[in-house]
Amino acid sequence: MSSISSISSSTNLYQPNNDFAKRFQDFKALGTALQSGDLSSAQSALANLQQTVSGNSSTSTTSASQPFGKNSQANSDFQTLTSALQSGDLSGAQQAFTSLQSDLKAAH
């Protein structure tokens, strides 16, 4: 099983709007579910995250197909994560989430 680092709830992030806060919470819930090996909760968290992303696509440059904007590697890993969860591949989803975390950390 791959190692998924936890997402700190005490992280002090600049939150410009509720959409960002909701995305962060959905992403955190997804990571927590994957870390605990809970496929059903991970699938639900992913659905919530996708709904948050697509629900605000008219006012944002992000979309369900490119939730991380111009970060093509993060978008690719997110699609891999989505496919793995949709097919019930917990291990593949965990690996994709770990890669996605690395992509996002490297971008900042």
Side-chain angles (χ1 to χ4, degrees), residues 5-42:
S5 58
S6 64
I7 300 172
S8 173
S9 61
S10 64
T11 302
N12 185 11
L13 297 174
Y14 171 67
Q15 296 181 358
N17 59 43
N18 288 337
D19 181 55
F20 178 82
K22 175 73 171 123
R23 287 181 194 203
F24 178 79
Q25 291 295 33
D26 291 343
F27 191 79
K28 181 181 171 189
L30 177 57
T32 300
L34 288 170
Q35 190 173 28
S36 67
D38 185 346
L39 180 62
S40 179
S41 291

Side-chain angles (χ1 to χ4, degrees), residues 72-87:
S72 60
Q73 188 58 52
N75 287 323
S76 176
D77 286 334
F78 184 74
Q79 292 305 317
T80 301
L81 170 63
T82 299
S83 295
L85 284 175
Q86 288 174 343
S87 67

